[in-house]
Amino acid sequence: MRLADARAICPALLTEPNAPDKDAAFLESLARWASRYSPSLNVDGTDCLWLDVTGVAHLFGGESELLADLKDRLARLGFRARFGCAGTLGGASALAHFARRSPALAVPDTLPDTLAPFPVEALRLEPNTVLLLRRLGLKRIGQLYGLPRASLERRFHSKDAAESVLRRLDEALGRRNETHAPLLPAPDYVARLSFAEPLISHDGVLAGLERLAAELCGMLARARAGARRVVLWAARTDGSSVALEAGLSAPSATAAHLVRLLKEKLDTIDMGFGVDLMTFAALAVDDLSPEQTALSATDRKPGPEKLIDALASRLGARTVRRLFPQQSHIPELAQTARSAFAKLPAWTGDARNTSLEKPPRPPLLLATPESVTVMAEVPEGPPLRFTWRRVSRRVVKAEGPERIAPEWWRVLDGSPAQRTRDYYRIEDEDGCRYWVFREGLYQERDEARDGDPPRWFLHGVFP
């Protein structure tokens, strides 16, 4: 009924605006939550989920026990649902929507007899097709079984409509395969290991992980790929399971490194009555960069990837960050802190042309340049003496200047105007080296007449 009529009947009626996008997003999140019951699942329409429990139901004691556990968990979350289990997706959908009792299970041999009394709407047909079938007197699925297909096609105005009825009927009865894409596709690189006797110790799980890692890395090496995110899945004999994930800051196909990331997490696994199946998969992969590994020594310096992965494994991926280069001439804008697992940009900031190499930069930059008081021999020259943090220092050596022009295009975006910088590398009488700059030029002040005088800042220190 219309909202105005409903409020006239019940003035205290509470209403909420419809949000189909949020409903669809929540249904997808509910499907991800149900992945403990099956690795192959997805949403179906606006109010349904399908799960392929082939080869999984025995872990819960059978289909009935699996549905009972799923129903109980949904009830604890505050949801009421109907369940159907059959050998085909169409049959399970019909049982979930139109069976008198829920959960409803159908044995494959008796599926046609089970679906026969159901209305034709259970075949997931279009409303116009259902309406035409009812006008023809075909109200039950069983009435379509003995009907000649040629005569059914002649009763429809289009061949596509008749074909949709026959296709849905064949899919529901298992005469034709129905394609259904899972929400979480199976990984391309996965290694499995089952045990005749359940593992009851963490040492056994570690030995199994080492074997699985070697097998998985062999697959990755042959494909010239490296894992960026891996997961270890262990199934217990009581039907429960546990999963351990680890992320990598750079693609890797080294088994020892993958084992090292998950080794500390193995102690958190509750062995229960034992583990009888282990799966190790690479959920995300990238191309593996070639490197020199034999014949001669390489001058390639070890990267920070192993340290980053170890820190992330202990502290969490969100707490570990690293610096990434940005295309900017301003030193404090030439880098940004991002997640350590973000993909490295194609541009690394290295100068390939030696004629364009920048003067030496200090390895330690201050978070914010700190103001200093400077005494210079000439206005545009290097400082002779400066005061930083209330300590006066006499300069004995100076190199520069290195002029860095302001980024004029930022003014177009409304950013405040920047001034020209002249950087100097200086050394005091104690041998300490600093990186200072003068912001602004005296020439610019003379031209502007009322401009601010140039200011000096200390931006970094040299070792």
Side-chain angles (χ1 to χ4, degrees):
M1 71 176 58
R2 295 181 179 179
L3 179 60
D5 297 337
R7 284 179 172 171
I9 298 174
C10 181
L13 179 66
L14 298 178
T15 61
E16 289 289 341
N18 186 25
D21 295 339
K22 293 183 179 180
D23 292 342
F26 180 79
L27 187 63
E28 182 176 336
S29 65
L30 193 62
R32 295 179 183 276
W33 167 86
S35 61
R36 71 182 304 271
Y37 297 98
S38 172
S40 178
L41 75 167
N42 206 340
V43 299
D44 185 19
T46 60
D47 59 349
C48 299
L49 302 176
W50 63 261
L51 295 85
D52 187 357
V53 296
T54 304
V56 180
H58 73 281
L59 299 176
F60 296 86
E63 289 82 358
S64 300
E65 289 74 9
L66 186 148
L67 294 179
D69 184 75
L70 177 57
K71 181 179 180 179
D72 180 65
R73 289 179 179 271
L74 288 175
R76 280 184 280 173
L77 294 176
F79 296 103
R80 290 187 302 173
R82 293 179 54 86
F83 304 89
C85 183
T88 62
L89 181 61
S93 176
L95 291 173
H97 286 87
F98 295 93
R100 293 183 177 180
R101 297 181 179 180
S102 178
L105 284 79
V107 181
D109 296 337
T110 62
L111 183 59
D113 297 334
T114 304
L115 298 182
F118 286 6
V120 290
E121 290 88 344
L123 294 178
R124 299 171 296 166
L125 299 172
E126 296 293 334
N128 294 335
T129 304
V130 174
L131 180 60
L132 181 56
L133 287 174
R134 288 190 168 274
R135 287 178 178 177
L136 296 174
L138 303 174
K139 300 180 180 180
R140 303 292 176 183
I141 295 178
Q143 295 176 309
L144 301 176
Y145 291 167
L147 190 66
R149 301 200 168 202
S151 63
L152 182 62
E153 293 179 359
R154 288 194 300 267
R155 296 175 186 269
F156 282 85
H157 299 292
S158 65
K159 186 177 180 180
D160 295 338
E163 178 62 27
S164 65
V165 176
L166 298 176
R167 185 183 72 255
R168 287 300 192 184
L169 179 61
D170 291 341
E171 289 174 351
L173 298 178
R175 299 171 183 170
R176 182 184 303 187
N177 293 329
E178 181 178 359
T179 58
H180 45 279
L183 178 64
L184 305 172
D188 296 330
Y189 304 96
V190 57
R192 294 181 177 87
L193 182 61
S194 59
F195 307 97
E197 295 293 336
L199 301 178
I200 59 175
S201 67
H202 293 90
D203 294 337
V205 175
L206 177 58
L209 173 60
E210 293 174 348
R211 180 174 175 179
L212 290 173
E215 182 179 351
L216 178 64
C217 290
M219 300 179 188
L220 295 172
R222 288 189 292 271
R224 298 181 180 179
R228 289 295 302 270
R229 188 160 60 95
V230 294
V231 58
L232 174 66
W233 183 70
R236 306 184 186 97
T237 56
D238 59 356
S240 60
S241 62
V242 62
L244 301 178
E245 291 193 24
L248 293 90
S249 58
S252 174
T254 305
H257 183 47
L258 300 183
V259 173
R260 190 181 305 112
L261 294 180
L262 293 173
K263 184 177 180 180
E264 296 183 357
K265 299 181 179 181
L266 294 181
D267 294 336
T268 62
I269 296 180
D270 182 8
M271 302 299 295
F273 294 99
V275 173
D276 59 357
L277 176 65
M278 291 176 58
T279 300
F280 194 42
L283 302 181
V285 298
D286 276 342
D287 294 335
L288 198 60
S289 302
E291 61 180 9
Q292 185 75 24
T293 58
L295 297 181
S296 61
T298 176
D299 58 353
R300 180 178 180 272
K301 298 180 180 179
E305 290 79 12
K306 293 185 178 181
L307 175 61
I308 292 175
D309 296 342
L311 292 176
S313 179
R314 288 191 175 187
L315 306 178
R318 296 184 179 181
T319 59
V320 183
R321 303 172 67 85
R322 66 185 299 185
L323 297 178
F324 286 81
Q326 288 190 143
Q327 295 188 11
S328 176
H329 298 290
I330 309 301
E332 62 267 25
L333 301 180
Q335 58 191 7
T336 179
R338 297 167 55 191
S339 170
F341 295 93
K343 190 173 183 179
L344 291 173
W347 176 77
T348 60
D350 297 334
R352 301 302 180 185
N353 190 348
T354 56
S355 62
L356 300 178
E357 288 185 357
K358 299 178 182 178
R361 298 289 177 90
L364 176 61
L365 290 181
L366 301 181
T368 303
E370 298 184 7
S371 178
V372 296
T373 303
V374 170
M375 182 179 65
E377 185 175 3
V378 293
E380 302 288 350
L384 294 178
R385 182 181 293 273
F386 69 98
T387 302
W388 175 49
R389 295 181 179 179
R390 301 182 181 180
V391 178
S392 179
R393 298 170 173 85
R394 187 172 66 89
V395 178
V396 296
K397 294 182 181 179
E399 292 180 335
E402 175 193 353
R403 179 160 294 180
I404 297 180
E407 297 178 341
W408 54 267
W409 55 88
R410 294 186 180 272
V411 181
L412 303 178
D413 299 334
S415 303
Q418 300 177 346
R419 307 176 72 182
T420 303
R421 296 181 181 182
D422 280 351
Y423 277 87
Y424 293 89
R425 298 178 302 279
I426 60 177
E427 181 179 337
D428 64 8
E429 54 188 353
D430 296 329
C432 300
R433 304 173 63 214
Y434 308 92
W435 202 40
V436 299
F437 69 89
R438 181 184 61 249
E439 186 181 56
L441 302 175
Y442 289 96
Q443 181 181 358
E444 295 175 347
R445 184 193 181 192
D446 295 340
E447 293 176 354
R449 294 185 180 180
D450 57 348
D452 296 331
R455 300 174 58 192
W456 286 84
F457 295 89
L458 191 145
H459 203 166
V461 294
F462 291 92

